[in-house]
Amino acid sequence: MLQSDIDALRTAAVSPQQHFIAGAAVEGAGGARLDVISPIDGKRLTTIADGDAADIDRAVRVARRVYDDGAWSRAAPVERKKILLRFADLVERHAMDLAVLGVRDNGTEIGMAYKAEPLSAVATLRYYAEAIDKIYGEIAPTARDVLGLVHREPLGVIGVIVPWNFPLMIGAWKIAPALAAGNSVVVKPPETASLTLLRLAALASEAGLPDGVLNVVTGRGETAGEALALHMDVDVLAFTGSGPVGRRLLEYSARSNLKRVYLELGGKSPNVVFSDAPDIKQAAKVSANGIFRNSGQVCVAGSRLLVQSAVYDQFMSELLAVTGKLRVGDPLDLSFDIGAVNSEAQLGKNLAVVQRAEEAGADRLCGGERLHAEGGGFYMAPTIFASVGPGMNLWREEVFGPVLAVIRFEDEEEAVRLANASAYGLAAAVWTGSLRTAHRMVRAINAGVVHVNTYGGTDVTVPLGGFKQSGFGRDKSLHAFDEYTDPKTAWIAL
Ligand code: NAD
């Protein structure tokens, strides 16, 4: 990646954005607008449509009509595959401008954003495109006088609501399997990071996706998001975001048409370092990356660090050394390691967490302050707290910022107890040279993924999702098809 390629794109004007419905940019019914503030400098980048229930209704009606027409829903899988592969190629061709646009909107450091956003969306689109004509139905092992066939049917109109940390990647995890299976989709992007999903929908159209199969309505959660979740003609709501909003979506479903809701929620993931970790220096480096990249705005961030007493001092000194070298600043400048916090509101929440942790008696070892305030952007120093008690908020509640809580432990049993003492169960990691310890910990920790001697690696071939209050349902892998299709039985007398 060249700095000159980034610089060529970073100041391009971004025109005011409209919704994308039925294959075209359309203005919202109410005409209201929302400012898009770039976290890089706190300045207005452009505006988006502040969608309302009328806009959502328009998009859902279009999505339903197209679904019923069958141009996409009843197209042969191989035809859907062709268009989705073309779609993936187009996203790949535009990867750099999508990445830079996304960073101007949400503040993630470009090195990470380029891979995690457009390139991972490309991989996801290709995976489901390639899968769709290789998945067979079933013949049930019935008695000989009947034939039991199990078909996989798409469900209709899928509502997708995603957060601002990786809107393109997380959006693609839902949009790609939903489209591949033949559904129509209405996306409500996060209000502070809508631009790349709007561009994505336009590229889908260019690739030949029939108009109205993929629609994007921008706006606020409590208006456009709520309207989508309450809509009587949405069959499934696929959501990634916070726990409190996830709870509301379940209520909306109950109050409307009992649409099924899949929730990928927050986490407070334990990262457990045993004294026999093969390489303490490497473990410290990867652990710092595992909490601080994208300013901690990563659902699987290793935000609770558990270190065994025998290596505590050594590990912490390596961790502080590597953290001290992390450079925070302009996310479009390749010389920085970490970019901006997404919004002023999120930065404020992070700083309030720091203050409360200090008041509760935790020991701040580094960071805790806003950086580069003079430039108007939203930057925060990587922050580490030791002497954290398991009862403290800092140990229990998700921050979604660059704040790490550290506890020491004596033995495996205590590590498991501390790791599992959480309402969440999204991700975890274990560092050990013992195969037996590793496998025991993988079984003992309640989380959707347990990394061993690494933190945060993944790809589209494995499922992502949570245990406990981190939600239910799974993005990625063939398991994701379960959310967007239903088995249908044909029982045939012979
Ligand atoms: P959020 O829940 O505030 O918002 C997520 C989305 O929900 C946004 O598009 C928002 O507009 C919408 N929304 C808000 N209120 C709504 C309502 N009443 N009805 C319908 N929609 C509504 O979350 P956020 O602050 O954007 O993102 C941070 C959260 O997302 C963190 O908790 C993080 O852990 C979680 N997250 C989880 C994963 C995962 O895969 N499990 C991945 C990334 C982020």
Side-chain angles (χ1 to χ4, degrees), residues 161-165 170 188-191 221-222 225-226 239-242 245 248-249 252 264-267 299 398 400 426 464:
I161 301 181
V162 291
W164 39 258
N165 57 342
I170 296 171
K188 207 301 283 173
E191 44 273 64
E222 62 274 21
E226 179 178 305
F239 174 75
T240 296
S242 63
V245 174
R248 284 203 198 158
L249 300 185
Y252 298 153
E264 300 287 349
L265 306 176
C299 56
E398 183 184 44
F400 219 58
L426 190 56
L464 178 106

PDB file of all heavy atoms in Angstrom, residues 161-165 170 188-191 221-222 225-226 239-242 245 248-249 252 264-267 299 398 400 426 464, ligand 1:
ATOM      1  N   ILE A 161     -28.880  -4.555  10.202  1.00  0.00           N
ATOM      2  CA  ILE A 161     -28.465  -3.356  10.956  1.00  0.00           C
ATOM      3  C   ILE A 161     -27.072  -3.613  11.519  1.00  0.00           C
ATOM      4  O   ILE A 161     -26.852  -4.619  12.192  1.00  0.00           O
ATOM      5  CB  ILE A 161     -29.451  -3.056  12.115  1.00  0.00           C
ATOM      6  CG1 ILE A 161     -30.873  -2.832  11.570  1.00  0.00           C
ATOM      7  CG2 ILE A 161     -28.995  -1.824  12.900  1.00  0.00           C
ATOM      8  CD1 ILE A 161     -31.918  -2.497  12.637  1.00  0.00           C
ATOM      9  N   VAL A 162     -26.142  -2.717  11.215  1.00  0.00           N
ATOM     10  CA  VAL A 162     -24.742  -2.965  11.609  1.00  0.00           C
ATOM     11  C   VAL A 162     -24.141  -1.760  12.338  1.00  0.00           C
ATOM     12  O   VAL A 162     -24.650  -0.646  12.233  1.00  0.00           O
ATOM     13  CB  VAL A 162     -23.877  -3.337  10.384  1.00  0.00           C
ATOM     14  CG1 VAL A 162     -24.268  -4.698   9.847  1.00  0.00           C
ATOM     15  CG2 VAL A 162     -23.966  -2.293   9.290  1.00  0.00           C
ATOM     16  N   PRO A 163     -23.034  -1.990  13.048  1.00  0.00           N
ATOM     17  CA  PRO A 163     -22.369  -0.908  13.792  1.00  0.00           C
ATOM     18  C   PRO A 163     -21.288  -0.232  12.942  1.00  0.00           C
ATOM     19  O   PRO A 163     -21.040  -0.621  11.810  1.00  0.00           O
ATOM     20  CB  PRO A 163     -21.750  -1.647  14.970  1.00  0.00           C
ATOM     21  CG  PRO A 163     -21.387  -2.977  14.408  1.00  0.00           C
ATOM     22  CD  PRO A 163     -22.368  -3.284  13.326  1.00  0.00           C
ATOM     23  N   TRP A 164     -20.631   0.754  13.548  1.00  0.00           N
ATOM     24  CA  TRP A 164     -19.724   1.612  12.792  1.00  0.00           C
ATOM     25  C   TRP A 164     -18.278   1.147  12.781  1.00  0.00           C
ATOM     26  O   TRP A 164     -17.451   1.751  12.101  1.00  0.00           O
ATOM     27  CB  TRP A 164     -19.762   3.033  13.351  1.00  0.00           C
ATOM     28  CG  TRP A 164     -19.849   3.121  14.857  1.00  0.00           C
ATOM     29  CD1 TRP A 164     -20.982   3.396  15.577  1.00  0.00           C
ATOM     30  CD2 TRP A 164     -18.813   2.938  15.821  1.00  0.00           C
ATOM     31  NE1 TRP A 164     -20.702   3.387  16.925  1.00  0.00           N
ATOM     32  CE2 TRP A 164     -19.377   3.111  17.109  1.00  0.00           C
ATOM     33  CE3 TRP A 164     -17.450   2.637  15.726  1.00  0.00           C
ATOM     34  CZ2 TRP A 164     -18.633   2.993  18.288  1.00  0.00           C
ATOM     35  CZ3 TRP A 164     -16.706   2.503  16.904  1.00  0.00           C
ATOM     36  CH2 TRP A 164     -17.308   2.695  18.150  1.00  0.00           C
ATOM     37  N   ASN A 165     -17.944   0.118  13.521  1.00  0.00           N
ATOM     38  CA  ASN A 165     -16.509  -0.203  13.586  1.00  0.00           C
ATOM     39  C   ASN A 165     -15.989  -0.836  12.299  1.00  0.00           C
ATOM     40  O   ASN A 165     -14.919  -0.481  11.823  1.00  0.00           O
ATOM     41  CB  ASN A 165     -16.179  -1.045  14.820  1.00  0.00           C
ATOM     42  CG  ASN A 165     -16.965  -2.317  14.885  1.00  0.00           C
ATOM     43  OD1 ASN A 165     -17.998  -2.481  14.231  1.00  0.00           O
ATOM     44  ND2 ASN A 165     -16.490  -3.258  15.688  1.00  0.00           N
ATOM     45  N   ILE A 170     -18.819  -6.364   8.316  1.00  0.00           N
ATOM     46  CA  ILE A 170     -19.937  -6.970   9.048  1.00  0.00           C
ATOM     47  C   ILE A 170     -21.186  -6.976   8.168  1.00  0.00           C
ATOM     48  O   ILE A 170     -21.947  -7.946   8.156  1.00  0.00           O
ATOM     49  CB  ILE A 170     -20.175  -6.220  10.376  1.00  0.00           C
ATOM     50  CG1 ILE A 170     -18.945  -6.383  11.278  1.00  0.00           C
ATOM     51  CG2 ILE A 170     -21.420  -6.737  11.081  1.00  0.00           C
ATOM     52  CD1 ILE A 170     -18.967  -5.509  12.531  1.00  0.00           C
ATOM     53  N   LYS A 188     -29.745  -0.962   7.088  1.00  0.00           N
ATOM     54  CA  LYS A 188     -29.718   0.330   7.794  1.00  0.00           C
ATOM     55  C   LYS A 188     -28.305   0.468   8.341  1.00  0.00           C
ATOM     56  O   LYS A 188     -27.967  -0.143   9.349  1.00  0.00           O
ATOM     57  CB  LYS A 188     -30.749   0.320   8.924  1.00  0.00           C
ATOM     58  CG  LYS A 188     -31.302   1.687   9.320  1.00  0.00           C
ATOM     59  CD  LYS A 188     -30.260   2.685   9.794  1.00  0.00           C
ATOM     60  CE  LYS A 188     -29.814   2.410  11.222  1.00  0.00           C
ATOM     61  NZ  LYS A 188     -28.681   3.296  11.609  1.00  0.00           N
ATOM     62  N   PRO A 189     -27.465   1.263   7.672  1.00  0.00           N
ATOM     63  CA  PRO A 189     -26.074   1.397   8.139  1.00  0.00           C
ATOM     64  C   PRO A 189     -26.011   2.214   9.426  1.00  0.00           C
ATOM     65  O   PRO A 189     -26.962   2.912   9.774  1.00  0.00           O
ATOM     66  CB  PRO A 189     -25.380   2.157   7.016  1.00  0.00           C
ATOM     67  CG  PRO A 189     -26.350   2.254   5.890  1.00  0.00           C
ATOM     68  CD  PRO A 189     -27.720   2.072   6.476  1.00  0.00           C
ATOM     69  N   PRO A 190     -24.853   2.170  10.099  1.00  0.00           N
ATOM     70  CA  PRO A 190     -24.685   3.009  11.295  1.00  0.00           C
ATOM     71  C   PRO A 190     -24.646   4.475  10.894  1.00  0.00           C
ATOM     72  O   PRO A 190     -24.045   4.814   9.862  1.00  0.00           O
ATOM     73  CB  PRO A 190     -23.332   2.557  11.847  1.00  0.00           C
ATOM     74  CG  PRO A 190     -22.617   1.983  10.663  1.00  0.00           C
ATOM     75  CD  PRO A 190     -23.649   1.395   9.774  1.00  0.00           C
ATOM     76  N   GLU A 191     -25.249   5.341  11.685  1.00  0.00           N
ATOM     77  CA  GLU A 191     -25.344   6.752  11.278  1.00  0.00           C
ATOM     78  C   GLU A 191     -23.979   7.424  11.184  1.00  0.00           C
ATOM     79  O   GLU A 191     -23.829   8.417  10.478  1.00  0.00           O
ATOM     80  CB  GLU A 191     -26.291   7.538  12.194  1.00  0.00           C
ATOM     81  CG  GLU A 191     -26.160   7.283  13.683  1.00  0.00           C
ATOM     82  CD  GLU A 191     -27.014   6.097  14.143  1.00  0.00           C
ATOM     83  OE1 GLU A 191     -26.737   4.962  13.693  1.00  0.00           O
ATOM     84  OE2 GLU A 191     -27.909   6.296  14.970  1.00  0.00           O
ATOM     85  N   GLY A 221     -30.661   5.178  14.466  1.00  0.00           N
ATOM     86  CA  GLY A 221     -31.168   3.912  14.969  1.00  0.00           C
ATOM     87  C   GLY A 221     -32.587   4.019  15.484  1.00  0.00           C
ATOM     88  O   GLY A 221     -33.443   3.182  15.177  1.00  0.00           O
ATOM     89  N   GLU A 222     -32.835   5.079  16.253  1.00  0.00           N
ATOM     90  CA  GLU A 222     -34.144   5.170  16.916  1.00  0.00           C
ATOM     91  C   GLU A 222     -35.265   5.563  15.965  1.00  0.00           C
ATOM     92  O   GLU A 222     -36.431   5.515  16.359  1.00  0.00           O
ATOM     93  CB  GLU A 222     -34.084   6.114  18.120  1.00  0.00           C
ATOM     94  CG  GLU A 222     -33.740   7.564  17.814  1.00  0.00           C
ATOM     95  CD  GLU A 222     -32.235   7.853  17.753  1.00  0.00           C
ATOM     96  OE1 GLU A 222     -31.449   6.916  17.563  1.00  0.00           O
ATOM     97  OE2 GLU A 222     -31.863   9.034  17.877  1.00  0.00           O
ATOM     98  N   GLY A 225     -33.799   2.672  12.073  1.00  0.00           N
ATOM     99  CA  GLY A 225     -33.522   1.330  12.584  1.00  0.00           C
ATOM    100  C   GLY A 225     -34.756   0.725  13.230  1.00  0.00           C
ATOM    101  O   GLY A 225     -35.126  -0.434  12.958  1.00  0.00           O
ATOM    102  N   GLU A 226     -35.390   1.512  14.069  1.00  0.00           N
ATOM    103  CA  GLU A 226     -36.591   1.019  14.748  1.00  0.00           C
ATOM    104  C   GLU A 226     -37.688   0.665  13.737  1.00  0.00           C
ATOM    105  O   GLU A 226     -38.372  -0.358  13.864  1.00  0.00           O
ATOM    106  CB  GLU A 226     -37.100   2.079  15.741  1.00  0.00           C
ATOM    107  CG  GLU A 226     -38.349   1.641  16.470  1.00  0.00           C
ATOM    108  CD  GLU A 226     -38.831   2.667  17.497  1.00  0.00           C
ATOM    109  OE1 GLU A 226     -38.035   3.042  18.366  1.00  0.00           O
ATOM    110  OE2 GLU A 226     -39.994   3.062  17.422  1.00  0.00           O
ATOM    111  N   PHE A 239     -28.569  -8.503  13.071  1.00  0.00           N
ATOM    112  CA  PHE A 239     -28.056  -7.322  13.767  1.00  0.00           C
ATOM    113  C   PHE A 239     -26.675  -7.571  14.338  1.00  0.00           C
ATOM    114  O   PHE A 239     -26.399  -8.632  14.915  1.00  0.00           O
ATOM    115  CB  PHE A 239     -29.009  -6.982  14.924  1.00  0.00           C
ATOM    116  CG  PHE A 239     -28.528  -5.861  15.816  1.00  0.00           C
ATOM    117  CD1 PHE A 239     -28.575  -4.543  15.401  1.00  0.00           C
ATOM    118  CD2 PHE A 239     -28.025  -6.124  17.093  1.00  0.00           C
ATOM    119  CE1 PHE A 239     -28.138  -3.502  16.228  1.00  0.00           C
ATOM    120  CE2 PHE A 239     -27.587  -5.100  17.929  1.00  0.00           C
ATOM    121  CZ  PHE A 239     -27.651  -3.787  17.493  1.00  0.00           C
ATOM    122  N   THR A 240     -25.807  -6.587  14.218  1.00  0.00           N
ATOM    123  CA  THR A 240     -24.583  -6.534  15.012  1.00  0.00           C
ATOM    124  C   THR A 240     -24.560  -5.184  15.694  1.00  0.00           C
ATOM    125  O   THR A 240     -24.762  -4.153  15.048  1.00  0.00           O
ATOM    126  CB  THR A 240     -23.335  -6.716  14.147  1.00  0.00           C
ATOM    127  OG1 THR A 240     -23.366  -8.023  13.576  1.00  0.00           O
ATOM    128  CG2 THR A 240     -22.063  -6.587  14.972  1.00  0.00           C
ATOM    129  N   GLY A 241     -24.304  -5.181  16.986  1.00  0.00           N
ATOM    130  CA  GLY A 241     -24.271  -3.925  17.722  1.00  0.00           C
ATOM    131  C   GLY A 241     -24.267  -4.194  19.217  1.00  0.00           C
ATOM    132  O   GLY A 241     -23.842  -5.254  19.680  1.00  0.00           O
ATOM    133  N   SER A 242     -24.785  -3.232  19.948  1.00  0.00           N
ATOM    134  CA  SER A 242     -24.686  -3.308  21.407  1.00  0.00           C
ATOM    135  C   SER A 242     -25.822  -4.133  22.019  1.00  0.00           C
ATOM    136  O   SER A 242     -26.885  -4.293  21.415  1.00  0.00           O
ATOM    137  CB  SER A 242     -24.736  -1.887  21.974  1.00  0.00           C
ATOM    138  OG  SER A 242     -25.987  -1.313  21.670  1.00  0.00           O
ATOM    139  N   VAL A 245     -29.358  -2.308  22.479  1.00  0.00           N
ATOM    140  CA  VAL A 245     -30.152  -2.221  21.245  1.00  0.00           C
ATOM    141  C   VAL A 245     -30.652  -3.620  20.848  1.00  0.00           C
ATOM    142  O   VAL A 245     -31.801  -3.784  20.430  1.00  0.00           O
ATOM    143  CB  VAL A 245     -29.344  -1.561  20.103  1.00  0.00           C
ATOM    144  CG1 VAL A 245     -30.111  -1.609  18.786  1.00  0.00           C
ATOM    145  CG2 VAL A 245     -29.028  -0.113  20.465  1.00  0.00           C
ATOM    146  N   ARG A 248     -33.780  -4.327  22.562  1.00  0.00           N
ATOM    147  CA  ARG A 248     -34.933  -3.613  21.973  1.00  0.00           C
ATOM    148  C   ARG A 248     -35.428  -4.323  20.726  1.00  0.00           C
ATOM    149  O   ARG A 248     -36.622  -4.384  20.469  1.00  0.00           O
ATOM    150  CB  ARG A 248     -34.518  -2.199  21.565  1.00  0.00           C
ATOM    151  CG  ARG A 248     -34.411  -1.313  22.731  1.00  0.00           C
ATOM    152  CD  ARG A 248     -34.560   0.121  22.264  1.00  0.00           C
ATOM    153  NE  ARG A 248     -34.030   0.951  23.311  1.00  0.00           N
ATOM    154  CZ  ARG A 248     -33.596   2.167  23.162  1.00  0.00           C
ATOM    155  NH1 ARG A 248     -33.632   2.720  21.973  1.00  0.00           N
ATOM    156  NH2 ARG A 248     -33.141   2.840  24.172  1.00  0.00           N
ATOM    157  N   LEU A 249     -34.499  -4.852  19.946  1.00  0.00           N
ATOM    158  CA  LEU A 249     -34.912  -5.500  18.700  1.00  0.00           C
ATOM    159  C   LEU A 249     -35.791  -6.716  18.988  1.00  0.00           C
ATOM    160  O   LEU A 249     -36.743  -6.998  18.247  1.00  0.00           O
ATOM    161  CB  LEU A 249     -33.687  -5.911  17.878  1.00  0.00           C
ATOM    162  CG  LEU A 249     -32.772  -4.761  17.462  1.00  0.00           C
ATOM    163  CD1 LEU A 249     -31.662  -5.257  16.555  1.00  0.00           C
ATOM    164  CD2 LEU A 249     -33.541  -3.649  16.759  1.00  0.00           C
ATOM    165  N   TYR A 252     -39.140  -5.325  19.650  1.00  0.00           N
ATOM    166  CA  TYR A 252     -39.804  -4.894  18.409  1.00  0.00           C
ATOM    167  C   TYR A 252     -40.360  -6.110  17.664  1.00  0.00           C
ATOM    168  O   TYR A 252     -41.438  -6.043  17.081  1.00  0.00           O
ATOM    169  CB  TYR A 252     -38.831  -4.163  17.482  1.00  0.00           C
ATOM    170  CG  TYR A 252     -38.236  -2.884  18.023  1.00  0.00           C
ATOM    171  CD1 TYR A 252     -36.999  -2.443  17.572  1.00  0.00           C
ATOM    172  CD2 TYR A 252     -38.905  -2.096  18.961  1.00  0.00           C
ATOM    173  CE1 TYR A 252     -36.435  -1.269  18.035  1.00  0.00           C
ATOM    174  CE2 TYR A 252     -38.347  -0.917  19.427  1.00  0.00           C
ATOM    175  CZ  TYR A 252     -37.108  -0.511  18.969  1.00  0.00           C
ATOM    176  OH  TYR A 252     -36.548   0.648  19.428  1.00  0.00           O
ATOM    177  N   GLU A 264     -25.584 -10.295  17.103  1.00  0.00           N
ATOM    178  CA  GLU A 264     -24.137 -10.373  17.385  1.00  0.00           C
ATOM    179  C   GLU A 264     -23.836  -9.167  18.259  1.00  0.00           C
ATOM    180  O   GLU A 264     -23.811  -8.040  17.762  1.00  0.00           O
ATOM    181  CB  GLU A 264     -23.317 -10.280  16.090  1.00  0.00           C
ATOM    182  CG  GLU A 264     -23.584 -11.361  15.076  1.00  0.00           C
ATOM    183  CD  GLU A 264     -23.023 -12.693  15.486  1.00  0.00           C
ATOM    184  OE1 GLU A 264     -22.242 -12.750  16.447  1.00  0.00           O
ATOM    185  OE2 GLU A 264     -23.394 -13.691  14.855  1.00  0.00           O
ATOM    186  N   LEU A 265     -23.614  -9.382  19.525  1.00  0.00           N
ATOM    187  CA  LEU A 265     -23.536  -8.262  20.465  1.00  0.00           C
ATOM    188  C   LEU A 265     -22.102  -8.048  20.959  1.00  0.00           C
ATOM    189  O   LEU A 265     -21.156  -8.462  20.332  1.00  0.00           O
ATOM    190  CB  LEU A 265     -24.514  -8.495  21.599  1.00  0.00           C
ATOM    191  CG  LEU A 265     -25.959  -8.751  21.117  1.00  0.00           C
ATOM    192  CD1 LEU A 265     -26.876  -9.073  22.269  1.00  0.00           C
ATOM    193  CD2 LEU A 265     -26.493  -7.590  20.302  1.00  0.00           C
ATOM    194  N   GLY A 266     -22.006  -7.420  22.077  1.00  0.00           N
ATOM    195  CA  GLY A 266     -20.694  -7.010  22.558  1.00  0.00           C
ATOM    196  C   GLY A 266     -19.885  -8.137  23.183  1.00  0.00           C
ATOM    197  O   GLY A 266     -20.275  -9.308  23.172  1.00  0.00           O
ATOM    198  N   GLY A 267     -18.741  -7.753  23.736  1.00  0.00           N
ATOM    199  CA  GLY A 267     -17.882  -8.725  24.391  1.00  0.00           C
ATOM    200  C   GLY A 267     -17.011  -8.062  25.442  1.00  0.00           C
ATOM    201  O   GLY A 267     -16.914  -6.829  25.508  1.00  0.00           O
ATOM    202  N   CYS A 299     -15.203  -5.917  18.245  1.00  0.00           N
ATOM    203  CA  CYS A 299     -16.097  -6.673  19.137  1.00  0.00           C
ATOM    204  C   CYS A 299     -15.337  -7.767  19.884  1.00  0.00           C
ATOM    205  O   CYS A 299     -15.637  -8.051  21.042  1.00  0.00           O
ATOM    206  CB  CYS A 299     -17.261  -7.259  18.371  1.00  0.00           C
ATOM    207  SG  CYS A 299     -16.763  -8.287  16.987  1.00  0.00           S
ATOM    208  N   GLU A 398     -18.287  -3.759  28.833  1.00  0.00           N
ATOM    209  CA  GLU A 398     -17.584  -3.466  27.596  1.00  0.00           C
ATOM    210  C   GLU A 398     -17.306  -1.961  27.488  1.00  0.00           C
ATOM    211  O   GLU A 398     -18.175  -1.150  27.793  1.00  0.00           O
ATOM    212  CB  GLU A 398     -18.449  -3.898  26.412  1.00  0.00           C
ATOM    213  CG  GLU A 398     -17.764  -3.705  25.081  1.00  0.00           C
ATOM    214  CD  GLU A 398     -18.675  -4.042  23.909  1.00  0.00           C
ATOM    215  OE1 GLU A 398     -19.844  -3.638  23.925  1.00  0.00           O
ATOM    216  OE2 GLU A 398     -18.190  -4.703  22.975  1.00  0.00           O
ATOM    217  N   PHE A 400     -15.459  -0.705  24.539  1.00  0.00           N
ATOM    218  CA  PHE A 400     -15.399  -0.456  23.096  1.00  0.00           C
ATOM    219  C   PHE A 400     -14.471   0.724  22.810  1.00  0.00           C
ATOM    220  O   PHE A 400     -14.745   1.597  21.990  1.00  0.00           O
ATOM    221  CB  PHE A 400     -16.794  -0.230  22.506  1.00  0.00           C
ATOM    222  CG  PHE A 400     -16.929  -0.870  21.145  1.00  0.00           C
ATOM    223  CD1 PHE A 400     -16.709  -2.228  20.978  1.00  0.00           C
ATOM    224  CD2 PHE A 400     -17.254  -0.125  20.025  1.00  0.00           C
ATOM    225  CE1 PHE A 400     -16.813  -2.833  19.728  1.00  0.00           C
ATOM    226  CE2 PHE A 400     -17.355  -0.710  18.757  1.00  0.00           C
ATOM    227  CZ  PHE A 400     -17.140  -2.061  18.626  1.00  0.00           C
ATOM    228  N   LEU A 426     -17.981 -13.794  23.841  1.00  0.00           N
ATOM    229  CA  LEU A 426     -17.751 -13.655  22.399  1.00  0.00           C
ATOM    230  C   LEU A 426     -16.434 -14.318  21.975  1.00  0.00           C
ATOM    231  O   LEU A 426     -16.401 -15.152  21.097  1.00  0.00           O
ATOM    232  CB  LEU A 426     -17.761 -12.171  22.011  1.00  0.00           C
ATOM    233  CG  LEU A 426     -17.784 -11.875  20.516  1.00  0.00           C
ATOM    234  CD1 LEU A 426     -18.964 -12.551  19.838  1.00  0.00           C
ATOM    235  CD2 LEU A 426     -17.808 -10.382  20.252  1.00  0.00           C
ATOM    236  N   LEU A 464     -18.615 -16.912  13.399  1.00  0.00           N
ATOM    237  CA  LEU A 464     -18.363 -15.906  14.422  1.00  0.00           C
ATOM    238  C   LEU A 464     -19.678 -15.592  15.124  1.00  0.00           C
ATOM    239  O   LEU A 464     -20.683 -15.332  14.468  1.00  0.00           O
ATOM    240  CB  LEU A 464     -17.829 -14.618  13.804  1.00  0.00           C
ATOM    241  CG  LEU A 464     -17.597 -13.537  14.865  1.00  0.00           C
ATOM    242  CD1 LEU A 464     -16.116 -13.349  15.138  1.00  0.00           C
ATOM    243  CD2 LEU A 464     -18.216 -12.214  14.482  1.00  0.00           C
TER     244      LEU A 464
HETATM  245  P1  NAD B   1     -25.322   0.259  18.613  1.00  0.00           P
HETATM  246  O1  NAD B   1     -26.050  -0.910  19.133  1.00  0.00           O
HETATM  247  O2  NAD B   1     -25.475   1.563  19.272  1.00  0.00           O
HETATM  248  O3  NAD B   1     -25.730   0.508  17.086  1.00  0.00           O
HETATM  249  C1  NAD B   1     -25.680  -0.535  16.147  1.00  0.00           C
HETATM  250  C2  NAD B   1     -26.695  -0.251  15.056  1.00  0.00           C
HETATM  251  O4  NAD B   1     -27.997  -0.280  15.642  1.00  0.00           O
HETATM  252  C3  NAD B   1     -26.547   1.126  14.406  1.00  0.00           C
HETATM  253  O5  NAD B   1     -26.776   1.005  13.017  1.00  0.00           O
HETATM  254  C4  NAD B   1     -27.653   1.924  15.062  1.00  0.00           C
HETATM  255  O6  NAD B   1     -28.144   2.952  14.246  1.00  0.00           O
HETATM  256  C5  NAD B   1     -28.721   0.857  15.262  1.00  0.00           C
HETATM  257  N1  NAD B   1     -29.691   1.184  16.311  1.00  0.00           N
HETATM  258  C6  NAD B   1     -29.501   1.926  17.427  1.00  0.00           C
HETATM  259  N2  NAD B   1     -30.656   2.019  18.132  1.00  0.00           N
HETATM  260  C7  NAD B   1     -31.590   1.311  17.443  1.00  0.00           C
HETATM  261  C8  NAD B   1     -32.963   1.018  17.657  1.00  0.00           C
HETATM  262  N3  NAD B   1     -33.626   1.488  18.719  1.00  0.00           N
HETATM  263  N4  NAD B   1     -33.613   0.240  16.752  1.00  0.00           N
HETATM  264  C9  NAD B   1     -32.959  -0.258  15.679  1.00  0.00           C
HETATM  265  N5  NAD B   1     -31.660  -0.003  15.417  1.00  0.00           N
HETATM  266  C10 NAD B   1     -30.978   0.773  16.291  1.00  0.00           C
HETATM  267  O7  NAD B   1     -23.805  -0.190  18.527  1.00  0.00           O
HETATM  268  P2  NAD B   1     -22.549   0.650  18.024  1.00  0.00           P
HETATM  269  O8  NAD B   1     -22.222   1.645  19.075  1.00  0.00           O
HETATM  270  O9  NAD B   1     -22.748   1.107  16.625  1.00  0.00           O
HETATM  271  O10 NAD B   1     -21.440  -0.495  17.964  1.00  0.00           O
HETATM  272  C11 NAD B   1     -20.767  -0.914  19.073  1.00  0.00           C
HETATM  273  C12 NAD B   1     -21.339  -2.202  19.599  1.00  0.00           C
HETATM  274  O11 NAD B   1     -21.383  -3.200  18.572  1.00  0.00           O
HETATM  275  C13 NAD B   1     -20.483  -2.787  20.682  1.00  0.00           C
HETATM  276  O12 NAD B   1     -21.288  -3.265  21.730  1.00  0.00           O
HETATM  277  C14 NAD B   1     -19.781  -3.945  19.981  1.00  0.00           C
HETATM  278  O13 NAD B   1     -19.311  -4.952  20.806  1.00  0.00           O
HETATM  279  C15 NAD B   1     -20.815  -4.413  19.064  1.00  0.00           C
HETATM  280  N6  NAD B   1     -20.218  -5.193  17.980  1.00  0.00           N
HETATM  281  C16 NAD B   1     -20.405  -6.555  17.976  1.00  0.00           C
HETATM  282  C17 NAD B   1     -19.823  -7.327  16.978  1.00  0.00           C
HETATM  283  C18 NAD B   1     -20.029  -8.833  16.903  1.00  0.00           C
HETATM  284  O14 NAD B   1     -19.788  -9.424  15.872  1.00  0.00           O
HETATM  285  N7  NAD B   1     -20.477  -9.466  17.954  1.00  0.00           N
HETATM  286  C19 NAD B   1     -19.060  -6.716  15.989  1.00  0.00           C
HETATM  287  C20 NAD B   1     -18.873  -5.331  16.049  1.00  0.00           C
HETATM  288  C21 NAD B   1     -19.477  -4.587  17.050  1.00  0.00           C
END
